[in-house]
Short mmCIF file of all heavy atoms in Angstrom, two decimals:
data_model
loop_
_atom_site.label_atom_id
_atom_site.label_comp_id
_atom_site.label_asym_id
_atom_site.label_seq_id
_atom_site.Cartn_x
_atom_site.Cartn_y
_atom_site.Cartn_z
N GLY A 30 0.83 -1.18 0.00
CA GLY A 30 0.00 -0.08 0.03
C GLY A 30 0.83 1.25 -0.02
O GLY A 30 2.06 1.22 -0.33
N LEU A 31 0.17 2.34 0.28
CA LEU A 31 0.83 3.66 0.39
C LEU A 31 1.13 4.00 1.80
O LEU A 31 0.13 3.95 2.57
CB LEU A 31 -0.08 4.77 -0.27
CG LEU A 31 0.41 6.14 -0.21
CD1 LEU A 31 1.72 6.33 -0.93
CD2 LEU A 31 -0.70 7.02 -0.87
N VAL A 32 2.29 4.45 2.20
CA VAL A 32 2.59 4.86 3.41
C VAL A 32 3.58 6.06 3.41
O VAL A 32 4.25 6.04 2.54
CB VAL A 32 3.26 3.55 4.21
CG1 VAL A 32 4.55 3.17 3.62
CG2 VAL A 32 3.42 3.86 5.70
N GLN A 33 3.55 6.85 4.44
CA GLN A 33 4.54 7.86 4.51
C GLN A 33 5.79 7.47 4.97
O GLN A 33 5.94 6.41 5.78
CB GLN A 33 3.91 9.06 5.46
CG GLN A 33 2.78 9.76 4.93
CD GLN A 33 2.36 10.91 5.78
OE1 GLN A 33 2.58 11.01 6.97
NE2 GLN A 33 1.64 11.96 5.25
N ALA A 34 6.88 8.19 4.63
CA ALA A 34 8.18 7.98 5.13
C ALA A 34 8.19 7.86 6.63
O ALA A 34 7.55 8.65 7.41
CB ALA A 34 9.20 8.96 4.69
N GLY A 35 8.92 6.83 7.14
CA GLY A 35 8.99 6.61 8.56
C GLY A 35 7.95 5.63 9.06
O GLY A 35 7.92 5.25 10.15
N GLY A 36 6.99 5.34 8.20
CA GLY A 36 5.86 4.40 8.61
C GLY A 36 6.23 2.93 8.42
O GLY A 36 7.34 2.69 8.10
N SER A 37 5.24 2.16 8.59
CA SER A 37 5.43 0.67 8.69
C SER A 37 4.36 0.04 7.80
O SER A 37 3.34 0.45 7.70
CB SER A 37 5.41 0.08 10.08
OG SER A 37 6.41 0.78 10.89
N LEU A 38 4.77 -1.16 7.33
CA LEU A 38 3.82 -2.03 6.65
C LEU A 38 4.17 -3.50 7.01
O LEU A 38 5.57 -3.78 7.17
CB LEU A 38 3.95 -1.93 5.12
CG LEU A 38 3.14 -0.71 4.53
CD1 LEU A 38 3.42 -0.57 3.00
CD2 LEU A 38 1.63 -0.75 4.69
N ARG A 39 3.34 -4.48 6.95
CA ARG A 39 3.58 -5.86 7.09
C ARG A 39 3.01 -6.56 5.92
O ARG A 39 1.95 -6.62 5.58
CB ARG A 39 3.04 -6.46 8.38
CG ARG A 39 3.62 -7.91 8.53
CD ARG A 39 3.14 -8.48 9.86
NE ARG A 39 1.82 -9.10 9.86
CZ ARG A 39 1.45 -10.12 10.62
NH1 ARG A 39 2.28 -10.51 11.36
NH2 ARG A 39 0.20 -10.53 10.48
N LEU A 40 3.84 -7.06 5.15
CA LEU A 40 3.52 -7.99 4.00
C LEU A 40 3.39 -9.34 4.39
O LEU A 40 4.04 -9.88 5.21
CB LEU A 40 4.63 -7.83 2.92
CG LEU A 40 4.98 -6.38 2.38
CD1 LEU A 40 5.97 -6.57 1.23
CD2 LEU A 40 3.81 -5.68 2.01
N SER A 41 2.38 -10.02 3.77
CA SER A 41 2.23 -11.49 3.99
C SER A 41 2.25 -12.16 2.76
O SER A 41 1.85 -11.64 1.69
CB SER A 41 0.76 -11.66 4.58
OG SER A 41 0.69 -11.02 5.85
N CYS A 42 2.69 -13.49 2.85
CA CYS A 42 2.64 -14.22 1.59
C CYS A 42 2.20 -15.62 1.95
O CYS A 42 2.75 -16.38 2.83
CB CYS A 42 3.98 -14.42 1.02
SG CYS A 42 4.24 -15.50 -0.38
N ALA A 43 0.89 -16.05 1.44
CA ALA A 43 0.36 -17.31 1.81
C ALA A 43 0.70 -18.28 0.70
O ALA A 43 0.61 -17.97 -0.61
CB ALA A 43 -1.16 -17.09 1.84
N VAL A 44 1.11 -19.43 1.04
CA VAL A 44 1.65 -20.48 0.14
C VAL A 44 0.62 -21.71 0.10
O VAL A 44 0.34 -22.07 1.22
CB VAL A 44 3.07 -20.91 0.49
CG1 VAL A 44 3.54 -22.09 -0.51
CG2 VAL A 44 4.03 -19.76 0.50
N SER A 45 0.36 -22.24 -1.12
CA SER A 45 -0.45 -23.34 -1.02
C SER A 45 0.06 -24.39 -2.24
O SER A 45 0.86 -23.99 -2.91
CB SER A 45 -1.87 -22.98 -1.33
OG SER A 45 -2.00 -22.34 -2.55
N GLY A 46 -0.35 -25.57 -2.11
CA GLY A 46 0.06 -26.45 -3.06
C GLY A 46 1.16 -27.55 -2.69
O GLY A 46 1.26 -28.58 -3.36
N ARG A 47 1.95 -27.33 -1.74
CA ARG A 47 2.90 -28.24 -1.27
C ARG A 47 3.21 -27.75 0.27
O ARG A 47 2.79 -26.77 0.73
CB ARG A 47 4.18 -28.05 -2.03
CG ARG A 47 4.26 -28.77 -3.31
CD ARG A 47 5.64 -28.76 -3.98
NE ARG A 47 6.74 -29.38 -3.28
CZ ARG A 47 7.94 -29.44 -3.66
NH1 ARG A 47 8.20 -28.95 -4.85
NH2 ARG A 47 8.84 -30.04 -3.10
N THR A 48 3.77 -28.80 0.93
CA THR A 48 4.04 -28.51 2.33
C THR A 48 5.01 -27.36 2.52
O THR A 48 6.04 -27.38 2.04
CB THR A 48 4.71 -29.76 2.96
OG1 THR A 48 3.86 -30.86 2.66
CG2 THR A 48 4.97 -29.55 4.47
N PHE A 49 4.41 -26.35 3.22
CA PHE A 49 5.07 -25.09 3.40
C PHE A 49 6.47 -25.19 4.06
O PHE A 49 7.41 -24.45 3.62
CB PHE A 49 4.21 -24.10 4.20
CG PHE A 49 4.80 -22.73 4.39
CD1 PHE A 49 4.98 -21.89 3.32
CD2 PHE A 49 5.20 -22.28 5.68
CE1 PHE A 49 5.56 -20.60 3.54
CE2 PHE A 49 5.58 -21.05 5.84
CZ PHE A 49 5.89 -20.30 4.87
N SER A 50 6.62 -25.98 4.93
CA SER A 50 7.76 -26.16 5.75
C SER A 50 8.94 -26.83 4.85
O SER A 50 10.11 -26.82 5.30
CB SER A 50 7.60 -26.90 6.94
OG SER A 50 7.18 -28.33 6.70
N MET A 51 8.66 -27.30 3.65
CA MET A 51 9.73 -27.74 2.81
C MET A 51 10.43 -26.58 2.08
O MET A 51 11.43 -26.85 1.42
CB MET A 51 9.04 -28.73 1.72
CG MET A 51 8.54 -29.92 2.34
SD MET A 51 7.64 -30.89 0.97
CE MET A 51 9.10 -31.17 -0.03
N PHE A 52 9.89 -25.39 2.23
CA PHE A 52 10.43 -24.38 1.39
C PHE A 52 11.34 -23.34 2.26
O PHE A 52 10.92 -22.93 3.31
CB PHE A 52 9.38 -23.52 0.79
CG PHE A 52 8.57 -24.11 -0.29
CD1 PHE A 52 7.18 -24.23 -0.11
CD2 PHE A 52 9.13 -24.60 -1.35
CE1 PHE A 52 6.38 -24.85 -1.08
CE2 PHE A 52 8.37 -25.31 -2.31
CZ PHE A 52 6.98 -25.34 -2.25
N THR A 53 12.48 -22.88 1.71
CA THR A 53 13.07 -21.75 2.14
C THR A 53 12.33 -20.61 1.58
O THR A 53 12.01 -20.67 0.32
CB THR A 53 14.61 -21.72 1.69
OG1 THR A 53 15.35 -22.80 2.30
CG2 THR A 53 15.30 -20.35 2.07
N MET A 54 12.19 -19.46 2.27
CA MET A 54 11.23 -18.45 1.74
C MET A 54 12.03 -17.12 1.65
O MET A 54 12.92 -16.88 2.46
CB MET A 54 10.10 -18.22 2.64
CG MET A 54 9.14 -19.46 2.65
SD MET A 54 8.44 -19.83 1.03
CE MET A 54 7.60 -18.26 0.49
N GLY A 55 11.83 -16.41 0.52
CA GLY A 55 12.54 -15.18 0.36
C GLY A 55 11.72 -13.97 -0.13
O GLY A 55 10.49 -14.22 -0.60
N TRP A 56 12.03 -12.93 0.20
CA TRP A 56 11.40 -11.62 -0.30
C TRP A 56 12.41 -10.88 -1.23
O TRP A 56 13.61 -10.78 -0.88
CB TRP A 56 11.00 -10.72 0.84
CG TRP A 56 9.75 -11.20 1.65
CD1 TRP A 56 9.83 -11.85 2.73
CD2 TRP A 56 8.44 -10.94 1.28
NE1 TRP A 56 8.45 -12.07 3.11
CE2 TRP A 56 7.62 -11.52 2.27
CE3 TRP A 56 7.71 -10.38 0.16
CZ2 TRP A 56 6.15 -11.63 2.22
CZ3 TRP A 56 6.32 -10.31 0.13
CH2 TRP A 56 5.60 -10.88 1.19
N PHE A 57 11.87 -10.39 -2.31
CA PHE A 57 12.58 -9.69 -3.20
C PHE A 57 11.82 -8.44 -3.52
O PHE A 57 10.68 -8.36 -3.34
CB PHE A 57 12.91 -10.46 -4.59
CG PHE A 57 13.89 -11.56 -4.34
CD1 PHE A 57 13.44 -12.70 -3.78
CD2 PHE A 57 15.23 -11.45 -4.78
CE1 PHE A 57 14.30 -13.77 -3.56
CE2 PHE A 57 16.06 -12.53 -4.55
CZ PHE A 57 15.62 -13.72 -4.04
N ARG A 58 12.38 -7.45 -4.20
CA ARG A 58 11.67 -6.28 -4.62
C ARG A 58 12.20 -5.72 -5.90
O ARG A 58 13.51 -5.96 -6.22
CB ARG A 58 11.70 -5.16 -3.60
CG ARG A 58 13.11 -4.47 -3.42
CD ARG A 58 13.00 -3.59 -2.23
NE ARG A 58 14.27 -2.72 -2.05
CZ ARG A 58 14.54 -1.85 -1.11
NH1 ARG A 58 13.55 -1.64 -0.23
NH2 ARG A 58 15.64 -1.31 -0.97
N GLN A 59 11.46 -4.98 -6.71
CA GLN A 59 11.88 -4.45 -7.97
C GLN A 59 11.24 -3.05 -8.14
O GLN A 59 9.99 -2.94 -8.16
CB GLN A 59 11.58 -5.34 -9.08
CG GLN A 59 12.10 -4.81 -10.51
CD GLN A 59 12.11 -5.85 -11.49
OE1 GLN A 59 11.36 -6.84 -11.54
NE2 GLN A 59 12.93 -5.76 -12.55
N ALA A 60 12.13 -2.05 -8.15
CA ALA A 60 11.62 -0.70 -8.37
C ALA A 60 11.60 -0.40 -9.92
O ALA A 60 12.32 -1.01 -10.61
CB ALA A 60 12.50 0.25 -7.70
N PRO A 61 10.85 0.59 -10.34
CA PRO A 61 10.77 0.97 -11.70
C PRO A 61 12.14 1.13 -12.24
O PRO A 61 12.93 2.08 -11.70
CB PRO A 61 9.85 2.13 -11.77
CG PRO A 61 9.05 2.02 -10.52
CD PRO A 61 9.93 1.38 -9.56
N GLY A 62 12.50 0.58 -13.40
CA GLY A 62 13.82 0.87 -14.07
C GLY A 62 14.94 0.28 -13.38
O GLY A 62 16.13 0.46 -13.88
N LYS A 63 14.68 -0.58 -12.33
CA LYS A 63 15.88 -1.18 -11.60
C LYS A 63 15.76 -2.77 -11.73
O LYS A 63 14.65 -3.19 -11.93
CB LYS A 63 15.97 -0.72 -10.18
CG LYS A 63 16.27 0.79 -10.03
CD LYS A 63 16.44 1.14 -8.54
CE LYS A 63 16.80 2.66 -8.46
NZ LYS A 63 17.03 2.95 -7.00
N GLU A 64 16.80 -3.44 -11.44
CA GLU A 64 16.85 -4.86 -11.38
C GLU A 64 16.23 -5.31 -10.08
O GLU A 64 16.18 -4.65 -9.13
CB GLU A 64 18.24 -5.36 -11.55
CG GLU A 64 18.90 -5.17 -12.86
CD GLU A 64 20.27 -5.77 -12.95
OE1 GLU A 64 20.79 -6.35 -11.93
OE2 GLU A 64 20.76 -5.82 -14.09
N ARG A 65 15.73 -6.52 -10.17
CA ARG A 65 15.19 -7.17 -8.97
C ARG A 65 16.25 -7.28 -7.88
O ARG A 65 17.39 -7.58 -8.22
CB ARG A 65 14.69 -8.60 -9.18
CG ARG A 65 14.02 -9.32 -8.19
CD ARG A 65 13.53 -10.62 -8.55
NE ARG A 65 14.53 -11.48 -9.19
CZ ARG A 65 14.26 -12.54 -9.95
NH1 ARG A 65 13.00 -12.81 -10.29
NH2 ARG A 65 15.20 -13.24 -10.45
N GLU A 66 15.93 -7.01 -6.57
CA GLU A 66 16.76 -6.87 -5.51
C GLU A 66 16.42 -7.85 -4.40
O GLU A 66 15.28 -7.90 -4.04
CB GLU A 66 16.74 -5.50 -4.98
CG GLU A 66 17.70 -5.13 -3.81
CD GLU A 66 17.51 -3.76 -3.37
OE1 GLU A 66 16.48 -3.17 -3.62
OE2 GLU A 66 18.51 -3.35 -2.76
N PHE A 67 17.41 -8.58 -3.84
CA PHE A 67 17.10 -9.43 -2.76
C PHE A 67 16.89 -8.63 -1.54
O PHE A 67 17.51 -7.53 -1.23
CB PHE A 67 18.35 -10.29 -2.41
CG PHE A 67 18.28 -11.14 -1.09
CD1 PHE A 67 17.50 -12.16 -0.98
CD2 PHE A 67 18.95 -10.61 -0.05
CE1 PHE A 67 17.40 -12.82 0.24
CE2 PHE A 67 18.96 -11.22 1.26
CZ PHE A 67 18.12 -12.46 1.37
N VAL A 68 15.85 -8.95 -0.70
CA VAL A 68 15.45 -8.30 0.51
C VAL A 68 15.78 -9.17 1.81
O VAL A 68 16.53 -8.56 2.72
CB VAL A 68 13.97 -7.90 0.46
CG1 VAL A 68 13.50 -7.35 1.86
CG2 VAL A 68 13.55 -6.92 -0.66
N ALA A 69 15.26 -10.29 1.84
CA ALA A 69 15.41 -11.14 3.05
C ALA A 69 15.11 -12.53 2.72
O ALA A 69 14.27 -12.79 1.78
CB ALA A 69 14.63 -10.58 4.13
N ALA A 70 15.50 -13.43 3.48
CA ALA A 70 15.11 -14.87 3.37
C ALA A 70 15.11 -15.46 4.76
O ALA A 70 15.87 -15.08 5.66
CB ALA A 70 16.09 -15.58 2.37
N ILE A 71 14.57 -16.70 4.81
CA ILE A 71 14.34 -17.38 6.12
C ILE A 71 14.37 -18.89 5.78
O ILE A 71 13.67 -19.35 4.78
CB ILE A 71 13.11 -16.91 6.81
CG1 ILE A 71 13.19 -17.48 8.28
CG2 ILE A 71 11.82 -17.32 6.06
CD1 ILE A 71 12.10 -16.79 9.15
N SER A 72 14.98 -19.59 6.63
CA SER A 72 15.11 -21.08 6.32
C SER A 72 13.79 -21.78 6.73
O SER A 72 12.94 -21.15 7.17
CB SER A 72 16.27 -21.56 7.29
OG SER A 72 15.88 -21.42 8.71
N ARG A 73 13.77 -23.06 6.45
CA ARG A 73 12.56 -23.87 6.56
C ARG A 73 11.99 -23.71 7.87
O ARG A 73 10.76 -23.69 7.90
CB ARG A 73 12.82 -25.27 6.12
CG ARG A 73 13.23 -25.47 4.72
CD ARG A 73 13.58 -26.90 4.45
NE ARG A 73 13.80 -27.18 3.04
CZ ARG A 73 13.55 -28.42 2.39
NH1 ARG A 73 13.26 -29.49 3.16
NH2 ARG A 73 13.87 -28.52 1.15
N ARG A 74 12.75 -23.82 8.89
CA ARG A 74 12.12 -23.92 10.32
C ARG A 74 12.23 -22.51 10.81
O ARG A 74 11.84 -22.32 12.02
CB ARG A 74 12.89 -24.84 11.18
CG ARG A 74 12.74 -26.23 10.69
CD ARG A 74 13.37 -27.22 11.54
NE ARG A 74 13.15 -28.62 11.13
CZ ARG A 74 13.51 -29.73 11.83
NH1 ARG A 74 14.20 -29.55 12.88
NH2 ARG A 74 13.26 -30.94 11.36
N GLY A 75 12.64 -21.47 10.15
CA GLY A 75 12.56 -20.09 10.58
C GLY A 75 13.78 -19.66 11.53
O GLY A 75 13.75 -18.62 12.09
N GLY A 76 14.80 -20.58 11.55
CA GLY A 76 15.92 -20.30 12.42
C GLY A 76 17.01 -19.49 11.86
O GLY A 76 18.00 -19.00 12.59
N VAL A 77 16.95 -19.11 10.53
CA VAL A 77 18.16 -18.51 9.94
C VAL A 77 17.65 -17.36 9.00
O VAL A 77 17.67 -17.61 7.86
CB VAL A 77 19.04 -19.56 9.13
CG1 VAL A 77 20.29 -18.75 8.59
CG2 VAL A 77 19.43 -20.79 9.89
#
């Protein structure tokens, strides 16, 4: 959504079709005119 500088947002990503705990999950982003950029990732059990 739209937020002012200094504000917060929480993104969610719901996964279906396979056992979720089998996946390492990542977030990426892409701004206009820029390449896709890694943001964050988390291991299967959430420990890394």
Side-chain angles (χ1 to χ4, degrees):
L31 174 64
V32 63
Q33 289 187 333
S37 299
L38 282 174
R39 188 174 84 151
L40 306 183
S41 300
C42 173
V44 180
S45 61
R47 278 182 64 179
T48 304
F49 179 65
S50 59
M51 295 178 59
F52 295 120
T53 298
M54 297 300 300
W56 285 97
F57 292 78
R58 69 185 186 184
Q59 188 165 22
K63 295 187 177 181
E64 293 187 352
R65 183 175 60 195
E66 176 184 26
F67 170 76
V68 174
I71 189 167
S72 61
R73 293 180 172 202
R74 296 186 178 182
V77 185

